[in-house]
Amino acid sequence: MACASCSTKDGSPKGCKNNGTCGTDSCNKLTVFDWLANMSLPNGETPFNWIEVRYKNGRKHYYKNTENLTLSIGDIVATQAQTGHDIGMVTLTGELVRVQMKRKNIAPEGDDILKIYRKASQKDIDIWQKSRDREEPMKVKARQFAIDLRLEMKISDIEFQGDGSKATFYYTAEERVDFRELIKVFAREFRTRIEMRQVGFRQEASRLGGIGSCGRELCCSTWLTDFRSVSTSAARYQQLSLNPQKLAGQCGKLKCCLNYELDTYLDALKDFPKTDIKLQTEKGTAVCQKTDIFKGHMWYAYEGEWMNWHKITVVQANEIIELNKQNKKVISLEEYALDLVEDTKTSFENVVGQDSLTRFDSPKRNKKRRNNKRKGNQRNTKSSQGNKKETTNNNNTNKNKRRRNNKRKPQNAKNNQK
């Protein structure tokens, strides 16, 4: 969840432009939730006097609160550095800091203990913000200088110290790079102390962030803190195609998520026989072609009949292997495969209950034609009704004329007789 200042407006995100230093600490990477914040310490217990401070792109360090300052999550503090001071934000206090330090093997007592000086003043924050605004244009120039010197390296990020006295350049390179001339150019151009720090490709991806092929944010930039080695054997165990374009992440290395389900696959494969074991039958020697880990099926093909695959279960395969170890052969794989013949016919059901599955098969008729036909029918009916009225009127007039003529005829006949 982002803070209110990061919400969208007119369909486009506004962004607080604090670069991960907003007071709510809700839109930052690797944020830790303090689930002990509402709990009080037992009587007589002193609170743990170490504080976790976060800097740019999730970089965290632990400092001792020697001045007994009342600090809470989100406070901007001035911390001790090798030269000068640095500005960071408090991300964790209390007993959870002890747990984090123990997990990262950081001793609370030693010679290299760093301290918190004070809460940052407005002047400290202004100097810090000005230094942060210089980082992006400096990165563009630094990359151009490296290209001009023909150095095989990529400058991925720049981070200024809180007081603006030092700039750390993070870079990646395949091989060792002689950047002594580059440092001279940087010092002459940027007028500050320069520190070059090489990081791995995965660390670079975690610092920059991005969207993975799954459509979500990169695990290394959101919650993943340790980078375990990933090998191609993890893809082989999961029966994935060894395509480097699909198996590689944003960093160009194998995806870290290949290790997530590896243990489950290894447990399932314990019951499977090795794929290089051949099955000896009276019909011939069968070689494994494919396995389905989830359903527990294996496909075998006879040597010389590679197009005909026979599906058997894992239990059947282990049974045949045990018989082969006793120098016994089964008749053929067809006897075992007959039990797994599946009906490929699928019967469709109307799950909705109202709509038919063939409702889209018949083409749609144009409504205009229907309307035209209706209008034409209405006109025809009107005209036919008018014609009927006219014919009925004509018939009535003819009948009246005939009646009049019949009345006159007898009078005329009587006159003629006289």
Side-chain angles (χ1 to χ4, degrees), residues 257-401:
C257 55
L258 292 175
N259 286 338
Y260 294 168
E261 298 178 355
L262 181 59
D263 295 337
T264 306
Y265 278 88
L266 291 176
D267 292 338
L269 286 171
K270 290 180 180 179
D271 299 330
F272 280 73
K274 294 183 179 180
T275 56
D276 56 352
I277 298 177
K278 298 180 180 180
L279 303 183
Q280 303 296 330
T281 64
E282 294 180 359
K283 188 176 180 180
T285 304
V287 182
C288 181
Q289 301 294 323
K290 177 186 173 183
T291 59
D292 191 338
I293 299 175
F294 297 104
K295 294 183 179 180
H297 294 160
M298 301 182 73
W299 283 261
Y300 283 87
Y302 291 111
E303 293 181 350
E305 299 179 3
W306 304 110
M307 299 300 293
N308 297 325
W309 291 10
H310 304 283
K311 181 172 68 172
I312 61 176
T313 62
V314 177
V315 178
Q316 292 172 346
N318 290 324
E319 182 182 349
I320 297 172
I321 291 172
E322 290 296 328
L323 292 174
N324 293 152
K325 289 180 180 179
Q326 300 174 9
N327 295 326
K328 296 180 182 179
K329 294 183 180 180
V330 297
I331 299 174
S332 64
L333 294 178
E334 285 81 348
E335 295 182 356
Y336 294 91
L338 287 174
D339 299 335
L340 296 175
V341 174
E342 297 178 355
D343 187 8
T344 57
K345 295 181 180 180
T346 57
S347 59
F348 297 97
E349 295 181 359
N350 188 2
V351 294
V352 179
Q354 297 177 354
D355 298 332
S356 63
L357 294 173
T358 59
R359 63 186 183 276
F360 297 115
D361 294 343
S362 60
K364 294 181 179 179
R365 296 179 180 178
N366 292 330
K367 295 182 179 180
K368 292 182 179 179
R369 293 181 179 178
R370 291 182 179 178
N371 294 330
N372 292 330
K373 289 181 179 179
R374 290 175 182 175
K375 289 180 180 178
N377 293 329
Q378 290 177 358
R379 290 175 183 174
N380 294 328
T381 52
K382 287 181 180 179
S383 60
S384 62
Q385 289 176 359
N387 294 327
K388 287 180 180 178
K389 289 179 180 180
E390 290 178 359
T391 53
T392 51
N393 291 326
N394 292 327
N395 293 327
N396 293 327
T397 53
N398 293 326
K399 288 179 180 179
N400 293 327
K401 287 180 180 180

Side-chain angles (χ1 to χ4, degrees), residues 50-324:
W50 282 77
I51 306 296
E52 183 186 73
V53 181
R54 186 182 58 79
Y55 299 95
K56 182 182 178 183
N57 291 325
R59 182 173 65 90
K60 294 182 179 180
H61 289 292
Y62 298 91
Y63 298 90
K64 192 172 184 179
N65 187 9
T66 56
E67 301 296 329
N68 294 325
L69 301 173
T70 56
L71 300 174
S72 60
I73 296 175
D75 291 339
I76 309 298
V77 293
T79 60
Q80 183 182 358
Q82 293 181 355
T83 56
H85 67 274
D86 205 351
I87 303 296
M89 185 175 63
V90 177
T91 56
L92 200 61
T93 59
E95 292 298 320
L96 285 183
V97 181
R98 190 197 304 272
V99 177
Q100 293 286 343
M101 292 177 65
K102 184 178 180 180
R103 189 173 67 88
K104 296 181 180 180
N105 296 324
I106 299 175
E109 296 179 359
D111 298 332
D112 54 349
I113 294 177
L114 300 178
K115 304 175 183 179
I116 292 179
Y117 288 145
R118 62 185 183 278
K119 287 187 177 180
S121 61
Q122 187 61 41
K123 183 179 179 181
D124 296 331
I125 296 174
D126 293 340
I127 296 173
W128 180 40
Q129 290 292 343
K130 289 180 181 178
S131 301
R132 293 287 294 270
D133 294 338
R134 293 175 56 192
E135 291 174 357
E136 193 62 30
M138 280 181 63
K139 184 170 66 175
V140 176
K141 291 183 179 180
R143 287 178 175 177
Q144 188 61 43
F145 291 148
I147 292 171
D148 295 339
L149 294 175
R150 297 179 180 180
L151 297 177
E152 296 294 332
M153 60 184 297
K154 175 188 174 184
I155 297 174
S156 59
D157 196 14
I158 299 176
E159 182 179 359
F160 262 98
Q161 194 169 288
D163 54 359
S165 62
K166 186 181 73 171
T168 303
F169 289 75
Y170 295 92
Y171 72 95
T172 57
E174 293 285 350
E175 299 177 355
R176 188 172 181 178
V177 181
D178 185 8
F179 47 77
R180 288 177 291 182
E181 186 65 27
L182 183 64
I183 292 178
K184 294 179 182 178
V185 176
F186 286 171
R188 184 172 60 251
E189 180 68 23
F190 303 132
R191 304 284 181 175
T192 185
R193 290 194 304 111
I194 305 297
E195 179 182 352
M196 303 294 293
R197 185 172 297 179
Q198 185 176 2
V199 295
F201 292 97
R202 291 184 175 179
Q203 284 78 10
E204 180 190 15
S206 66
R207 290 182 65 86
L208 300 180
I211 304 298
S213 58
C214 58
R216 304 183 66 180
E217 292 186 41
L218 298 179
C219 297
C220 56
S221 63
T222 51
W223 62 273
L224 191 64
T225 56
D226 54 341
F227 301 99
R228 297 180 181 179
S229 60
V230 185
S231 60
T232 55
S233 61
R236 290 193 183 96
Y237 285 127
Q238 300 177 48
Q239 297 182 353
L240 300 174
S241 60
L242 299 179
N243 188 353
Q245 294 180 351
K246 293 183 178 180
L247 297 180
Q250 296 283 50
C251 57
K253 305 296 182 181
L254 293 176
K255 294 179 181 178
C256 297
C257 55
L258 292 175
N259 286 338
Y260 294 168
E261 298 178 355
L262 181 59
D263 295 337
T264 306
Y265 278 88
L266 291 176
D267 292 338
L269 286 171
K270 290 180 180 179
D271 299 330
F272 280 73
K274 294 183 179 180
T275 56
D276 56 352
I277 298 177
K278 298 180 180 180
L279 303 183
Q280 303 296 330
T281 64
E282 294 180 359
K283 188 176 180 180
T285 304
V287 182
C288 181
Q289 301 294 323
K290 177 186 173 183
T291 59
D292 191 338
I293 299 175
F294 297 104
K295 294 183 179 180
H297 294 160
M298 301 182 73
W299 283 261
Y300 283 87
Y302 291 111
E303 293 181 350
E305 299 179 3
W306 304 110
M307 299 300 293
N308 297 325
W309 291 10
H310 304 283
K311 181 172 68 172
I312 61 176
T313 62
V314 177
V315 178
Q316 292 172 346
N318 290 324
E319 182 182 349
I320 297 172
I321 291 172
E322 290 296 328
L323 292 174
N324 293 152

